[in-house]
Amino acid sequence: MLILEKQLLSSEIEVLGLSADQKYGNGKSILCLIPSTEVQNYFSPFESLPEDLELIFSELVNATNQNRIRRLEEEIVHGLCSEQFTTPLSLTIAVSDESLLSKRKASLDLIRYKPKAAFLVDGILTYCAIMNLLGYELKFPNFIVNQKQKGVDPRVRQMLAGHHLHITIFFDDKNNLDQSDILRLCKIFNQREVQLHSVNLARITSDSPIKALIYQLEKELRLDKFGGMSSKATRVTKSDPFITTESTMLHMILAAIGGSRLRMSTKTINQLSDGSTIDRPRLERIKPAIVIFFSAWLESCQKQLKYNRDGFHYSTQIWQALGLVIHDLISNQYSLDNLKRAGNLLGQLDYSRDAKHWQYCSAMMIDIRGNHYKNATSGGRTFREGIARYFIEVVS
């Protein structure tokens, strides 16, 4: 348990915390725990910010930041009320106080500084979300008591009020931080792009209804009859016993729902590029089309699936192209019977890599040896869109 000690002394504040002995960059930092209801006493309020920081913080009221704050509120409420593991609430404060005092006290570090010379540089949106849940509303630059208190559960407010935040206080007791240092720290924290970007992480941990649909389709399409579906692999290789993967099914469903305009990202598991939500009713509407189309495709293609482990029929790009075909046919008011016919026709195509009919597909080209066809486009998206256009020509 980290120890916090706070004492107001002539507009100064005293904090006890832990620090690392090793040097990392310039400056020092200590880590402590501070009650959420007191944290605003440890840094300069928004109405007392230097001009540059005030300009930056004024963007808190724009729509993008307000949406992010609302999502953070939901995450905080979930963290307070859920028994699942979640990340701790944390903020970082940078101190620019020439009179700052730093010394060792027993096994801890003590610093004394003026709060008006300290500024929030990380966790800015988290702080706003916390204040909202505590019953305040930002009318920049002031937080005012929210008279409406709409949507704030008193139990949540009480739980949050008793919650301690992980606070890192950054300072330099040799060369005091100036405003350019504060701005640089603020930029570093708020423009980070070093976090792992992983669609698979979002897929595996997602509670999106798409994941439930994937496993419904696995059963209804009887994928076990063709080798089953892997929940771990992202693609199918020659030696694999399964026909497809959870990742491939996700890509196919998203293509069927969103068409070619949908760009795959960690967000698209729950939301389309136009901002609309991928919810259960939307998935229930698309499900019959996917089932009847792929049932026909699998039935017509079953011999190839069994005897040719090196064909394009195992490619994620091909399955996603088939999803694009479903999207196009639905958009053109094709009936379920017509979707079944289309799936049957496409299942009869030869998916071997040396099949002659690929010469009529603009997304394919023969390799240098003249033996096999390969991607003739500049990337994955253009390849699957080109394949989808060719498939649509076949069934039209």
Side-chain angles (χ1 to χ4, degrees):
M1 176 72 176
L2 296 180
I3 300 175
L4 169 146
E5 181 177 292
K6 185 196 75 169
Q7 183 179 8
L8 291 174
L9 299 169
S10 305
S11 73
E12 291 186 332
I13 201 164
E14 241 179 47
V15 181
L16 274 176
L18 296 176
S19 68
D21 294 331
Q22 297 86 0
K23 186 179 185 323
Y24 183 76
N26 289 324
K28 298 180 179 179
S29 64
I30 67 169
L31 178 65
C32 56
L33 294 176
I34 297 177
S36 62
T37 52
E38 296 184 17
V39 70
Q40 67 269 27
N41 298 322
Y42 288 75
F43 54 84
S44 181
F46 292 171
E47 60 265 28
S48 301
L49 296 173
E51 185 177 351
D52 287 338
L53 280 178
E54 181 179 0
L55 184 63
I56 294 166
F57 278 55
S58 67
E59 294 182 271
L60 284 168
V61 298
N62 69 35
T64 298
N65 284 321
Q66 287 299 305
N67 286 333
R68 291 178 180 179
I69 289 169
R70 281 191 286 272
R71 289 200 297 271
L72 282 168
E73 288 178 35
E74 294 173 0
E75 291 179 14
I76 293 170
V77 170
H78 178 75
L80 290 170
C81 301
S82 171
E83 294 186 0
Q84 296 180 344
F85 289 107
T86 189
T87 55
L89 295 174
S90 62
L91 309 176
T92 300
I93 298 166
V95 179
S96 175
D97 184 359
E98 293 181 355
S99 62
L100 178 141
L101 171 68
S102 170
K103 64 180 180 179
R104 194 75 171 172
K105 186 174 182 180
S107 60
L108 300 172
D109 288 277
L110 178 145
I111 61 169
R112 181 186 299 158
Y113 66 91
K114 297 182 180 67
K116 67 179 182 180
F119 306 95
L120 190 60
V121 292
D122 186 35
I124 298 167
L125 300 185
T126 299
Y127 171 66
C128 291
I130 290 170
M131 292 297 286
N132 286 350
L133 291 173
L134 289 174
Y136 296 91
E137 182 181 4
L138 179 61
K139 297 289 186 181
F140 191 83
N142 302 296
F143 277 100
I144 63 173
V145 175
N146 187 345
Q147 301 296 335
K148 298 179 181 178
Q149 297 289 329
K150 288 184 178 179
V152 180
D153 188 330
R155 294 176 302 167
V156 170
R157 191 159 57 245
Q158 184 176 3
M159 292 170 67
L160 182 57
H163 190 77
H164 282 65
L165 310 179
H166 290 222
I167 306 296
T168 300
I169 301 178
F170 190 86
F171 62 96
D172 189 342
D173 55 358
K174 293 183 178 179
N175 300 296
N176 182 49
L177 300 178
D178 59 24
Q179 286 305 303
S180 63
D181 296 320
I182 300 294
L183 287 169
R184 183 172 178 273
L185 286 169
C186 197
K187 178 180 179 180
I188 290 171
F189 280 116
N190 292 281
Q191 291 188 354
R192 281 180 166 175
E193 296 180 354
V194 295
Q195 289 86 354
L196 172 68
H197 173 85
S198 171
V199 172
N200 285 319
L201 176 62
R203 169 182 61 82
I204 293 166
T205 61
S206 173
D207 57 0
S208 166
I210 288 185
K211 193 161 186 176
L213 176 60
I214 290 172
Y215 285 92
Q216 290 172 18
L217 291 175
E218 180 189 21
K219 291 181 179 179
E220 295 190 29
L221 294 174
R222 297 187 60 193
L223 295 182
D224 58 330
K225 176 182 174 183
F226 304 94
M229 178 184 77
S230 171
S231 61
K232 297 180 180 179
T234 57
R235 61 188 181 90
V236 181
T237 66
K238 295 180 185 180
S239 60
D240 290 326
F242 43 84
I243 179 182
T244 190
T245 69
E246 182 183 312
S247 176
T248 295
M249 294 292 284
L250 170 64
H251 283 74
M252 180 273 291
I253 293 169
L254 290 172
I257 296 172
S260 60
R261 290 180 299 173
L262 184 63
R263 304 283 183 91
M264 189 63 188
S265 72
T266 55
K267 293 182 179 179
T268 54
I269 294 178
N270 295 296
Q271 185 174 311
L272 292 176
S273 52
D274 62 4
S276 59
T277 303
I278 302 177
D279 53 17
R280 190 165 282 104
R282 184 190 288 264
L283 294 175
E284 288 299 323
R285 289 194 297 271
I286 195 75
K287 178 182 172 182
I290 295 176
V291 169
I292 200 162
F293 177 92
F294 266 94
S295 292
W297 185 81
L298 288 166
E299 193 66 29
S300 296
C301 197
Q302 60 179 318
K303 287 186 178 180
Q304 295 187 71
L305 291 167
K306 183 177 181 179
Y307 296 111
N308 181 6
R309 296 295 302 183
D310 192 34
F312 285 117
H313 43 286
Y314 285 107
S315 165
T316 295
Q317 297 282 19
I318 295 298
W319 283 60
Q320 196 168 0
L322 292 170
L324 293 175
V325 172
I326 294 173
H327 179 82
D328 184 83
L329 298 182
I330 292 174
S331 299
N332 286 288
Q333 308 298 315
Y334 270 54
S335 66
L336 290 178
D337 285 341
N338 285 332
L339 280 160
K340 182 177 181 179
R341 171 184 166 275
N344 182 56
L345 283 172
L346 293 177
Q348 293 176 34
L349 286 176
D350 184 355
Y351 286 89
S352 300
R353 295 181 183 273
D354 59 356
K356 299 300 182 184
H357 70 89
W358 294 125
Q359 65 184 300
Y360 303 111
C361 175
S362 62
M364 291 284 197
M365 64 182 293
I366 197 75
D367 65 17
I368 194 169
R369 294 183 179 180
N371 296 328
H372 299 101
Y373 283 88
K374 64 178 184 178
N375 185 350
T377 74
S378 58
R381 183 186 180 194
T382 50
F383 179 59
R384 60 180 173 265
E385 289 178 4
I387 295 291
R389 284 193 297 271
Y390 172 58
F391 285 166
I392 291 167
E393 290 174 4
V394 170
V395 301
S396 297

